[in-house]
Amino acid sequence: MTSPFEMRTRLLSLSLESAGIGLAVLSDPDSIAYYGGYWNYLGMEFGRPTLMIVGPGRAPVILTPLMESDMCAAMSWVGDIRPWTDGGREWRDVLIGLITNPTTAAPVGVETARLPNVVAAEIREQLPDRILTDIAPLITEQRMIKSPDEIAIMRQAGEVAGAMMDAAADAIGPGVPEYEIALAAMQAGSRRAASLLSDPGDRYVSPLIHNLQILQSGTDTCMVHRRAGVRRLESGDPVYLCFCGMVSFRNYKLGFDRQFYVGTVTDEQARIQEAALAAQRTALATIRPGIRCEAVNAAAEEVYAAAGFSPGYRTGRSVGMSLLEAPELKRGETRELQAGMTFAVDGGITVPGKGGGRIGDSIVVTEDGFDYLTPYPRDLKLL
């Protein structure tokens, strides 16, 4: 049976052929996971690129460090794995040999924004006559609409996110340090993810939730991306939790935010939070196929303006194997929504020096509207 990764690679090869591109060098780890079914743990931060070569009429090849080549062979459907070791020419001669073709001058497709400088420099030095052309638009177009299998995985990611938020809410109370809330969320998320996996079929999928928890409390809720620290909660504090960048299940990411209040909430805090909730509700109410992305954003901005606030950021972003995919729900984005697109949709207000109000959910666009990937209560909540 043909794997979804192989089918995606075949479609990419057809797109390359139609565009007159001889072959492509994939360098974005998310792209290699999407097409090759392989995600590794030794990237450019260690000076060790993994690259995937794809082209019309040729079998794909993955170059990866020797120490991870056994894992690559076990995870990926790709049969040609070329390991390399540190020192000397490393991956360079193998790569140049794979993309050198004296019978064609067709451009080499690369992911320009994600191509490591050291790889780009090697290609340009060794093959100065070959044109490098950006294939990110081709990849973006293919990844934009999620398959039913992908959406099913993202729903499971939503279950993980819900478990995290439940555990975080249970941990919130006067005197509790922020980091304890984050620990509770990560532990609950890891356990929920583990419950959705099985051995040996999922032996290369880690259930562990990691990365620094985005969490602020008190007046620091105006600092949208401050991480959990040692501050202890006080009665009346707002507590904002964002799981963007943390929830990753089978390599699929979601956006998911909630804000709670410890014991009491002031009228002004409630007004700010209700405005954020209303902006998200209004944005979600506009979502359906054929609506422009910028129209969804504009609907939210009208709510902020009516409540006396200014928008602080875009209303949403596409999610999937990458934290940020295309299109985005923001000013100037004219692309129309299509069924199968997946977004993180936010409501957010920042009052500098005083606090803010926030909410965020991930959704999938359906034929007649949308469906939640993070079905979780959305009302103002005291804990």
Side-chain angles (χ1 to χ4, degrees), residues 64-182:
T64 200
L66 173 65
M67 65 184 75
E68 296 211 330
S69 57
D70 277 1
M71 186 170 70
C72 180
M75 291 174 66
S76 179
W77 69 274
V78 176
D80 191 350
I81 310 298
R82 307 285 180 96
W84 60 268
T85 56
D86 299 328
R89 292 285 294 164
E90 299 180 338
W91 45 268
R92 292 168 175 80
D93 289 339
V94 180
L95 173 63
I96 297 304
L98 287 168
I99 64 178
T100 299
N101 188 340
T103 65
T104 180
V108 174
V110 295
E111 300 172 279
T112 302
R114 299 305 301 266
L115 183 67
N117 288 334
V118 66
V119 178
E122 182 67 23
I123 297 174
R124 290 191 175 103
E125 180 180 339
Q126 299 297 326
L127 303 172
D129 296 329
R130 294 295 291 276
I131 297 172
L132 300 185
T133 186
D134 189 15
I135 59 167
L138 297 180
I139 293 174
T140 293
E141 199 70 31
Q142 185 175 347
R143 290 175 58 180
M144 197 173 295
I145 307 299
K146 307 302 188 291
S147 69
D149 287 345
E150 289 181 285
I151 293 169
I153 292 172
M154 296 179 78
R155 290 190 190 281
Q156 290 182 316
E159 293 181 37
V160 174
M164 294 174 71
M165 197 67 79
D166 280 341
D170 288 343
I172 289 174
V176 177
E178 292 175 343
Y179 72 86
E180 288 289 355
I181 301 167

Side-chain angles (χ1 to χ4, degrees), residues 3 26 28-29 37 46 66 93 101 120 126 185 209 211 300 326 333 382:
S3 76
L26 305 182
D28 182 355
F46 289 97
L66 173 65
D93 289 339
N101 188 340
Q126 299 297 326
I209 297 296
N211 287 340
E333 179 58 78
L382 302 179

Side-chain angles (χ1 to χ4, degrees), residues 34-296:
Y34 183 80
Y35 293 107
Y38 168 56
W39 49 92
N40 68 336
Y41 302 97
L42 290 175
M44 284 308 302
E45 65 271 26
F46 289 97
R48 295 187 174 114
T50 287
L51 305 168
M52 183 172 174
I53 315 302
V54 177
R58 60 186 292 168
V61 181
I62 295 179
L63 284 67
T64 200
L66 173 65
M67 65 184 75
E68 296 211 330
S69 57
D70 277 1
M71 186 170 70
C72 180
M75 291 174 66
S76 179
W77 69 274
V78 176
D80 191 350
I81 310 298
R82 307 285 180 96
W84 60 268
T85 56
D86 299 328
R89 292 285 294 164
E90 299 180 338
W91 45 268
R92 292 168 175 80
D93 289 339
V94 180
L95 173 63
I96 297 304
L98 287 168
I99 64 178
T100 299
N101 188 340
T103 65
T104 180
V108 174
V110 295
E111 300 172 279
T112 302
R114 299 305 301 266
L115 183 67
N117 288 334
V118 66
V119 178
E122 182 67 23
I123 297 174
R124 290 191 175 103
E125 180 180 339
Q126 299 297 326
L127 303 172
D129 296 329
R130 294 295 291 276
I131 297 172
L132 300 185
T133 186
D134 189 15
I135 59 167
L138 297 180
I139 293 174
T140 293
E141 199 70 31
Q142 185 175 347
R143 290 175 58 180
M144 197 173 295
I145 307 299
K146 307 302 188 291
S147 69
D149 287 345
E150 289 181 285
I151 293 169
I153 292 172
M154 296 179 78
R155 290 190 190 281
Q156 290 182 316
E159 293 181 37
V160 174
M164 294 174 71
M165 197 67 79
D166 280 341
D170 288 343
I172 289 174
V176 177
E178 292 175 343
Y179 72 86
E180 288 289 355
I181 301 167
L183 287 174
M186 288 188 285
Q187 186 177 73
S190 296
R191 286 183 170 145
R192 183 63 184 130
S195 74
L196 298 170
L197 302 173
S198 62
D199 185 50
D202 296 315
R203 64 182 298 191
Y204 304 111
V205 180
S206 175
L208 296 178
I209 297 296
H210 57 284
N211 287 340
L212 286 171
Q213 170 76 68
I214 298 174
L215 187 157
Q216 310 98 48
S217 61
T219 57
D220 283 359
T221 51
C222 67
M223 303 176 186
V224 185
H225 292 111
R226 182 171 76 73
R227 267 46 178 181
V230 297
R231 182 183 185 274
R232 294 181 180 273
L233 303 187
E234 300 175 5
S235 181
D237 274 345
V239 183
Y240 169 61
L241 296 106
C242 170
F243 294 143
C244 304
M246 289 190 73
V247 176
S248 180
F249 183 72
R250 295 185 185 276
N251 231 49
Y252 282 84
K253 289 83 171 174
L254 297 180
F256 185 43
D257 310 48
R258 286 295 183 274
Q259 186 156 301
F260 303 107
Y261 297 83
V262 183
T264 62
V265 60
T266 67
D267 289 345
E268 181 62 9
Q269 287 173 332
R271 185 177 79 88
I272 294 171
Q273 182 65 13
E274 289 293 354
L277 295 172
Q280 190 209 38
R281 280 196 303 269
T282 301
L284 289 169
T286 68
I287 288 180
R288 62 185 182 277
I291 296 297
R292 286 188 175 187
C293 291
E294 63 182 358
V296 180

